[in-house]
Amino acid sequence: MRIVLLGPPGAGKGTQAVRLAERYEVPHVSTGDILRFVVAWKTEIGLLAKSYMDEGELVPDDLVLELLRIRLAQDDARVGFVLDGFPRTLPQAEALDKILAEIGHAIDVALDLRVPTELIVLRLSARASCPTCGRTYNLLASPPKEDMICNRDGSPLFQRDDDRPEVITQRLGVFQRQTFPLVKYYEDRGLLRPVDGQGSEDEVLERMTDAIDAVPGKVR
Ligand code: AMP
């Protein structure tokens, strides 16, 4: 199963991607997580990526594509993946189709998580993430059992630098300009499935799995 998750920052892509990956036994591939990992190395490439991320801008396509290509070439991604935060531009979507076509595969479904802007801002300002397993928590609606500690692996949670209000506004603008056109890209290919991203994590997950399970010809 090769799944793309679309939707604005704060729509719940990260949270749901982790759960979908468990359910369909495929890796969760988040370009945001990969980039944060690269940034932590403090190399020239890491510092370059950080300069875009801190401003809420997209990291250049060629750098992100190179990192994605390396990740998808790993053994665990052969059976499929849940892509979270990629593609974010039309050239990225086209490049992804090309990378997959080279190995005789294609995207099965693009789930478009839809959430009103007011809710996005609330969610992002209350978000904390686990650096180890990638799980995210809403500190108001679904906090971890122990303050700022991941329920799953006990790692201390962190709040992202780019979840500050001024950067959130910038990221939403970037989404509208650069990522929103992907909805049409996948719609034109018959792969788009809109999903209401409001409600509990379980409710949203169920809507997503219903949409995936309705994809014709897929073994689950
Ligand atoms: P995310 O964790 O998906 O919200 O991504 C955090 C930041 O990483 C974004 O605001 C971008 O600066 C950068 N980023 C993540 N994925 C991509 C991508 N596919 N293309 C360009 N930049 C990306």
Side-chain angles (χ1 to χ4, degrees):
M1 192 41 96
R2 293 174 178 79
I3 302 167
V4 161
L5 287 188
L6 299 174
K13 297 189 298 297
T15 306
Q16 296 297 345
V18 170
R19 301 185 67 182
L20 285 177
E22 272 171 11
R23 175 109 171 208
Y24 293 96
E25 297 180 347
V26 290
H28 163 216
V29 176
S30 153
T31 42
D33 286 350
I34 296 173
L35 284 163
R36 281 182 285 279
F37 186 72
V38 171
V39 165
W41 292 342
K42 300 203 168 117
T43 58
E44 206 174 314
I45 289 182
L47 293 175
L48 176 75
K50 183 173 167 29
S51 67
Y52 290 95
M53 293 166 79
D54 283 352
E55 297 300 316
E57 295 287 344
L58 294 186
V59 174
D61 285 342
D62 51 356
L63 172 52
V64 179
L65 272 165
E66 192 49 36
L67 293 170
L68 185 86
R69 192 184 281 279
I70 293 168
R71 178 64 188 89
L72 294 191
Q74 287 169 4
D75 274 352
D76 63 340
R78 280 206 197 139
V79 289
F81 46 73
V82 180
L83 276 184
D84 159 18
F86 185 97
R88 260 178 156 104
T89 63
L90 282 174
Q92 289 183 11
E94 287 160 357
L96 173 63
D97 284 347
K98 227 167 133 191
I99 293 171
L100 293 177
E102 281 164 15
I103 49 168
H105 292 301
I107 292 299
D108 295 302
V109 62
L111 299 173
D112 182 22
L113 263 183
R114 299 188 173 178
V115 172
T117 309
E118 316 79 81
L119 190 58
I120 288 173
V121 177
L122 267 178
R123 279 188 181 177
L124 289 178
S125 9
R127 173 161 80 176
S129 315
C130 173
T132 309
C133 70
R135 184 167 175 182
T136 54
Y137 294 83
N138 182 310
L139 295 177
L140 300 174
S142 55
K145 290 189 190 109
E146 205 182 322
D147 189 34
M148 291 303 275
I149 297 291
C150 180
N151 291 344
R152 187 172 295 171
D153 53 43
S155 304
L157 303 179
F158 71 100
Q159 288 194 272
R160 285 169 41 173
D161 287 345
D162 59 353
D163 281 344
R164 285 173 287 130
E166 63 279 18
V167 187
I168 292 174
T169 309
Q170 169 67 12
R171 286 164 64 206
L172 290 174
V174 166
F175 170 78
Q176 276 304 329
R177 285 191 301 278
Q178 291 176 271
T179 309
F180 191 69
L182 292 181
V183 168
K184 184 165 183 328
Y185 181 89
Y186 287 109
E187 196 169 34
D188 288 348
R189 283 154 184 77
L191 297 174
L192 190 78
R193 302 288 184 276
V195 175
D196 180 1
Q198 297 179 87
S200 72
E201 281 182 23
D202 288 345
E203 284 164 352
V204 178
L205 181 70
E206 199 178 318
R207 285 180 210 133
M208 297 179 108
T209 53
D210 284 350
I212 294 168
D213 293 348
V215 173
K218 275 290 136 193
V219 182
R220 290 168 265 284

